[in-house]
Amino acid sequence: MRTTLLIAAIVVFGATVVAPTASSAPARLDWAPCPAGPLPTPDLECTTLKVPLNYQDPNGRKIDVTISRLPSKDPRKRRGVLLTNPGGPGPGGLDHPQLLKLFGLPQNVLDTYDVIGLDPRGTGHSSPVACDFTPEQIARGNLPYPNGPADVLTQAEHAKAQAKRCADAESAPMLPHITTANTARDMDRVREALGESTVSFLGTSYGTYLGAVYTTLFPRRSDRFVLDSNLGAGGYDINAMRGFARGMEDRFPDFATFVADRPQYGLGTTPVQVTAKFHELAARLDRTPVAGITGSLFRGLTFEGLYSVDLTALAEDWQALDEGKAPVPYPTPDNIDNLLSARFAVLCGDSAWPRSVTSYQVDVEAGRLRSPLLGAAAANISACAYWPTAPLEPQVRITGNGPSNVLMVQNQRDPGTPLANARTLRSALADRARMVTVDQGGHGVYLFGTNRCANTAVTDFLVTGQRPTTDMLCPAETR
C-alpha cells in the first residue's frame, strides 16, 4: 500500500468492443509450481497461456499471461472459478489467492471456487514491460507536491523525460496495448482456457474498474462480481488522480483524532493541533529533509499511511520525523521499474490527458485551495501529458446493461478511492449493482477491514448469490 503516491502516484456514446476470436476448444493448461516470489505460495499452482498483444490483430504477435490457481478441494460444493485482482495498476496478482487465504478467506468461499490470480499483461511474469527509468526518476516518483507554478514547470520536464524513456524503450511497441480493456479480454481468454462458461470476480481498488470493464464487455460471462474500494466510472483517469486529494481530506480527521487521543506521540492534543503539525512538518522537511524525506514525500507517506485501518505506524513515522529521526524504511520492490512502466501504460493508454502545462498550473492552485493536504500534488502534471501515443480505442463506458450481479463494498473514508468517486461507478452500473457502504476509514473492506457486517455481506454473496435488496450502510464496529 505504501507505494501508492511515494513511488507510483508515486465520454463516448458506446464502447468499442473487440469480439473475441472463436476457439474450437479450451487451451491445454500445464499446471506446475508457481515462480518464486516475495510470498511463499505452497497452495498455488501456475500456468501460462498465449494471448494476442493486439486484439484487433488476433493472429499477430502473442504475449504471455501467467495465472495461478488455488483449487477447491470439495467437488460437491465447487461452483466455478473466482478471478481476483489486488489493485494497481502495475503490480502483479499471481500470489493474491495465497494472500487472500492468509488473510482469512472463508472456507466456504475456498470450497465454492477455484481462486484464480494473474499477473496482468505487461506485469510480473506476463510479458513485462520496462521503460528503464533511471534511479533518480524512480526516487523522485510521480506527482510531487508543487509549491507554485515554477514547480509545475520543473515537474513537466521530469514528466517529459519519463515519457521519452518509455517511448525509447525496447518494450515501447507493447505499451499502447497494456490497457484495462485488453486485460479484461485476457481474463476472458483465461475463462475460456479454464473451460468455464462464466467467471466470478473479486477485485480491490483498481481491480474494481477492471471488473467493471470485464462485466461491461462480457456481461453474460459474468457470474458473481465483487468490487471492493471503488474507482469512479472513468477508471484511473484525471478525476481519479484528483480524487486522492478528496480521499485524504475524508480520511485525515480519523488520524488527527487518533493522534490527539494519544499525547505520548507529542504531536498535538486536539485534531486542530495535529493538522497544524502536518503543515508545520511539511514546511520544515522542505527546508531540511530528514533521511531524504522532503515535505513532498512526507505528504505522500502520510497519504499512504492513511490506507491502513491501524494508524499506529503512521503516528510513529510522524513522531520520528518530528524528532529529526528517520522513519521505519520501506524497501523498494525489486521490480519497481516494471511496476511504474506498466502503471503509466495503463493510465496513459486508458484515457486521454491534458497536454497544456498551463492547465496543470491552474489546476494545481485550485487543488491547493480546495484540498490543502494533498490537492496540489494530485493535480500535478505526469508523463501522460507527454505520452507518445494516444489511446488506441475509446474508453469502455460502464453501463447498467446486463444481469444484476454486482456487489460493491466501500468505506466511507477511503483515501485512495473516495466515496464520492465510488458513487459515480454505482450510478453507472445502475440496477446491475448494490452497494454496501461501511462507516470505516482506510482502503480495503473485505478481509482487510474490521467490519463483520460488510465481510458477511461479501461472503454470503460469493457463496449463495444473495445480495442486499437495496444499497445499505454497515455501522462502525470492531472485531
Side-chain angles (χ1 to χ4, degrees), residues 406-448:
V406 179
L407 178 65
M408 300 171 63
V409 285
Q410 177 70 36
N411 285 333
Q412 285 187 328
R413 300 178 302 282
D414 187 321
T417 54
L419 178 60
N421 286 7
R423 284 172 171 158
T424 70
L425 181 60
R426 172 67 186 89
S427 178
L429 287 167
D431 197 50
R432 292 201 67 188
R434 301 289 183 269
M435 185 159 81
V436 175
T437 305
V438 188
D439 183 4
Q440 166 174 282
H443 187 59
V445 178
Y446 188 53
L447 305 182
F448 298 93

Side-chain angles (χ1 to χ4, degrees), residues 37 49 62 101 140 175 178 192 205 241 258 277 309 320 330 345 350 447 473-474:
L49 63 151
K62 300 295 192 295
K101 183 176 180 180
R140 181 180 179 82
L175 294 176
I178 308 301
E192 183 181 56
S205 192
M241 284 296 184
F258 175 88
K277 174 61 74 172
V309 173
Y330 294 90
D350 273 6
L447 305 182
L473 172 67
C474 283

